[in-house]
Amino acid sequence: MRMPSLPQGLAAGAARGAGRLSQKLGRGGGTTIPGLLLNRLRPEATAEMALAVPGGVILVSGTNGKTTTARLVRAALDASGIRVVANTAGSNLERGVATALLNSEGAELALFEVDEAALPGLMAQTRPRVVTLMNLFRDQLDRYGELEHLVDRWRQAVAELDPTTTVIYNADDPAVAEIASGHPSTVSYGIEDPRVGRDRLPHAADTINCRRCAAPLHYDMGTIAHLGRWSCPECESARAFPDVRATRVELHGLDGQRLSIATPQGPMEVSLRLPGMHNSYNALAATATASALALDPQSIGPALAKREAAFGRAERTQMGSTRVTTLLAKNPAGANENIRTMLLEGGPLHLLVLLNDRTADGQDVSWIWDVDYELLLENDRLASLTVSGDRAYDMALRFRYAGFDPDRLSVVPSVPAALNAALQSSSSTGDLYVLPTYTALLEFQAVLADRGLVPSFWEDR
């Protein structure tokens, strides 16, 4: 027998109390328990609170880049003086969104990064003003299932959207483009600069067949995985000319990049502190979202330029004489872009790779065999390698198959000890690159916090 819903005020008060107790007991930041309890006490609460936000709800989702893109959109909104409620701690399931909405009093607009599997449900509940669909890559197969399953769920959710909802979509992703292009109100984005294009797709590309007729797609230019300028030679389906497009992309290694962006409101020049072509796409998604919200185009570029890397996404920490750069790597597409970005740096590379297989990482780690680690071995760029985490030996085996010299490979299961070993190996160059999966990133950050180098994860939030 289902328990009847409590009145909204009573349910919200109980949920807030649970959050405060969680923080007081040191069990976390109170970003999930309030939402879990609220949805149990009043299942309709998320929808009610979302509809009460006067400026509406923005949902940002995709396999890669949603955290950074949401931060960039937030920067543009802040620069415009708009009061925003957001799930800034990264709790991106329904419970995290519900928790954030508990603190929405006085907010003019709600902005949420959303887990790609949770997106359809939250689209139905929040009736968003804007939905930003970024990309779909193979990720956490044990949790999400095959990519086709997510594509079908997104397609159905978009088909059920109110026609007035604006859908921002990545024209360079064939699956996302097919999902969104039939909606009556859209803004598309993509990369037009042929200088950053690649002449062939990597073997880890996912969507390589036409979504309409299943024929192999043709690419005039590839960018990341299966993203690029695509077309179908059989049914004439093709990438739309993007409304918001990067006409020039200048990648400056881990120091950032400069973009020339064409928008319906006019051209923009953006200098980003965020490295890699994946962040070029994130900046385009944020620009398209800001444009759809009718923000002043003159304020968007400067706002994006000020935003630093999100947690674990090219964050830099100084440890004595060594600069440590953390690059979250949780699926083939993201890991490959991290590798290509590191290779733009000069000199030998020293790596600490942390591989876990917990629920938030995905328990299937077979994805490491689709990462182009071999690129690191070309011209003997990889000088030392330390591996750690729950599946350290799986990662060591992957590099042995890649051909890496085992005499320069250290397997250290303990993360603190692995960091010490990696720092010693990299002391001659002064740079260490750390590539963790998600829960390994939290472990690594806790080690840095214990050493007084960074605030704890929850304290920072």
Side-chain angles (χ1 to χ4, degrees), residues 132-137 168-178 180 187-191 227-228 230 239 281 284-285:
T132 300
L133 306 179
M134 300 180 59
N135 51 64
L136 284 172
F137 299 118
I168 313 296
Y169 74 93
N170 187 347
D172 291 359
D173 187 321
V176 171
E178 188 268 338
V187 178
S188 61
Y189 67 90
I191 291 179
L227 307 188
W230 55 273
R239 167 190 181 264
Y281 277 108
L284 287 171

Side-chain angles (χ1 to χ4, degrees), residues 373-456:
Y373 293 115
E374 284 79 4
L375 293 175
L376 294 165
L377 276 57
E378 294 178 2
N379 302 316
D380 204 29
R381 291 293 306 278
L382 185 54
S384 73
L385 172 66
T386 307
V387 296
S388 185
D390 300 339
R391 302 296 289 269
Y393 287 97
D394 294 76
M395 186 59 75
L397 180 65
R398 172 67 183 91
F399 274 92
R400 286 292 302 273
Y401 269 88
F404 187 61
D405 182 357
D407 292 334
R408 290 186 286 167
L409 169 63
S410 299
V411 180
V412 186
S414 163
V415 173
L419 175 57
N420 292 339
L423 287 169
Q424 184 174 358
S425 297
S426 61
S427 59
S428 61
T429 64
D431 271 300
L432 173 65
Y433 302 97
V434 182
L435 277 65
T437 55
Y438 187 71
T439 65
L441 171 62
L442 296 177
E443 283 187 82
F444 180 70
Q445 200 271 351
V447 172
L448 297 183
D450 287 343
R451 299 183 185 188
L453 297 167
V454 299
S456 69

Side-chain angles (χ1 to χ4, degrees), residues 191-202:
I191 291 179
E192 281 291 298
D193 187 352
R195 298 175 309 120
V196 295
R198 292 157 187 163
D199 56 2
R200 60 186 178 87
L201 298 183

Side-chain angles (χ1 to χ4, degrees), residues 82-232:
I82 298 173
R83 295 190 301 275
V84 181
V85 60
N87 52 343
T88 53
S91 184
N92 59 21
L93 301 176
E94 181 185 345
R95 54 183 179 256
V97 170
T99 299
L101 283 168
L102 281 167
N103 303 303
S104 61
E105 185 176 354
E108 300 170 82
L109 198 65
L111 167 65
F112 302 120
E113 63 158 293
V114 179
D115 173 271
E116 52 269 41
L119 179 65
L122 281 166
M123 286 169 64
Q125 289 191 72
T126 62
R127 301 180 190 177
R129 173 181 171 183
V130 175
V131 178
T132 300
L133 306 179
M134 300 180 59
N135 51 64
L136 284 172
F137 299 118
R138 190 175 5 136
D139 187 44
Q140 298 189 45
L141 295 180
D142 54 293
R143 175 169 167 246
Y144 295 130
E146 289 297 330
L147 192 61
E148 296 296 321
H149 176 62
L150 269 180
V151 171
D152 290 342
R153 292 191 63 204
W154 275 27
R155 182 189 296 109
Q156 183 63 33
V158 170
E160 294 172 358
L161 277 174
D162 189 287
T164 61
T165 297
T166 300
V167 175
I168 313 296
Y169 74 93
N170 187 347
D172 291 359
D173 187 321
V176 171
E178 188 268 338
I179 290 167
S181 58
H183 186 72
S185 178
T186 63
V187 178
S188 61
Y189 67 90
I191 291 179
E192 281 291 298
D193 187 352
R195 298 175 309 120
V196 295
R198 292 157 187 163
D199 56 2
R200 60 186 178 87
L201 298 183
H203 69 276
D206 296 309
T207 302
I208 57 175
N209 293 97
C210 178
R211 303 294 312 173
R212 296 180 181 173
C213 72
L217 291 174
H218 169 74
Y219 280 80
D220 294 327
M221 180 181 82
T223 53
I224 298 173
H226 56 265
L227 307 188
R229 200 153 54 212
W230 55 273
S231 62
C232 176

Side-chain angles (χ1 to χ4, degrees), residues 203-287:
H203 69 276
D206 296 309
T207 302
I208 57 175
N209 293 97
C210 178
R211 303 294 312 173
R212 296 180 181 173
C213 72
L217 291 174
H218 169 74
Y219 280 80
D220 294 327
M221 180 181 82
T223 53
I224 298 173
H226 56 265
L227 307 188
R229 200 153 54 212
W230 55 273
S231 62
C232 176
E234 295 294 327
C235 71
E236 298 184 353
S237 175
R239 167 190 181 264
F241 187 64
D243 300 306
V244 175
R245 53 201 178 274
T247 57
R248 185 174 182 84
V249 179
E250 296 178 4
L251 301 175
H252 302 148
L254 286 159
D255 292 327
Q257 60 186 286
R258 185 169 180 82
L259 300 173
S260 298
I261 302 177
T263 77
Q265 293 79 30
M268 292 171 44
E269 295 292 325
V270 180
S271 293
L272 284 181
R273 301 183 187 186
L274 310 175
M277 204 184 310
H278 53 298
N279 279 313
S280 307
Y281 277 108
N282 295 340
L284 287 171
T287 300

